[in-house]
């Protein structure tokens, strides 16, 4: 899995898009952001996005029980 190099920018976390194939440069300059209060992510370059669980699945992260 690619290192996402997430960084906090204000209330959001900016990271590399989990769909790098949609970017001509592989999203070398992170264009996706996650908003914890909305529990949603969005890529400002390719327009992909979704909820927290969608992001966890795309990143191959293990989800805990609710």
């Amino acid at each position: 899995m690619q290192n996402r190099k997430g960084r906090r920018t204000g209330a959001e976390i900016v990271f590399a898009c989990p769909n790098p194939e949609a970017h001509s440069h592989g999203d070398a300059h992170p264009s996706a952001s996650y908003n914890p209060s909305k529990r949603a992510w969005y890529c400002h370059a390719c327009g992909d996005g979704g909820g927290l669980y969608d992001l966890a699945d795309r990143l191959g992260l293990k989800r805990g029980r609710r």
Side-chain angles (χ1 to χ4, degrees):
M1 176 182 5
Q2 174 185 352
N3 182 351
R4 300 273 163 223
K5 297 182 183 179
R7 61 181 163 73
R8 186 168 288 280
T9 302
E12 296 188 339
I13 300 168
V14 176
F15 59 98
C17 179
N19 187 19
E21 298 82 23
H23 301 264
S24 61
H25 55 76
D27 204 27
H29 303 285
S31 58
S33 60
Y34 174 72
N35 185 312
S37 64
K38 294 180 181 178
R39 296 172 51 119
W41 72 278
Y42 180 75
C43 179
H44 302 274
C46 74
D48 206 359
L52 174 62
Y53 295 124
D54 171 66
L55 179 59
D57 291 345
R58 289 177 184 235
L59 296 177
L61 300 174
K62 195 174 182 180
R63 291 196 261 156
R65 297 180 73 194
R66 290 187 201 187

